[in-house]
Amino acid sequence: RDLSIVAPKELEYSLIKKQINLLDIKQIKQFNLIDIYSDETLKDNESLTIKFVLQDDDKTMEENEITEIMNKILTQLKENLNISLRD
């Protein structure tokens, strides 16, 4: 699952990564930054796309479970780094 967020250009990706890791969600097997985009409409921000590999070791994940995990990630990033989902 991919997640595109808008973050300040000066914010280091390592801080985003740390916040996601703090959630300690066992279904997140890995995640990687796959794209960085900026243009004049984003001003001092840039769009970051992060690819998540999600897997439950015991069963097939349902869409609502995946959505719940992505919402937890977004909430964590919003509350701690003031990062939002890209429109």
Side-chain angles (χ1 to χ4, degrees), residues 13-26:
Y13 176 68
S14 62
L15 295 174
I16 295 171
K17 190 173 181 175
K18 180 179 178 184
Q19 288 298 316
I20 295 169
N21 284 327
L22 283 172
L23 289 168
D24 196 30
I25 298 173
K26 66 179 176 99

Side-chain angles (χ1 to χ4, degrees), residues 23-52:
L23 289 168
D24 196 30
I25 298 173
K26 66 179 176 99
Q27 292 92 342
I28 299 176
K29 299 304 179 187
Q30 69 180 51
F31 60 96
N32 299 296
L33 181 62
I34 59 169
D35 187 47
I36 300 173
Y37 173 78
S38 66
D39 65 21
E40 57 277 349
T41 62
L42 292 170
K43 299 182 175 125
D44 292 334
N45 296 315
E46 58 192 3
S47 172
L48 306 174
T49 301
I50 304 169
K51 180 176 214 57
F52 289 85

Side-chain angles (χ1 to χ4, degrees), residues 1-7 33-37 46-52 70 74 77 83-87:
R1 177 70 56 105
D2 292 354
L3 183 66
S4 291
I5 55 175
V6 176
L33 181 62
I34 59 169
D35 187 47
I36 300 173
Y37 173 78
E46 58 192 3
S47 172
L48 306 174
T49 301
I50 304 169
K51 180 176 214 57
F52 289 85
M70 301 312 281
L74 282 170
L77 295 177
I83 291 174
S84 59
L85 189 62
R86 182 172 175 199
D87 295 329

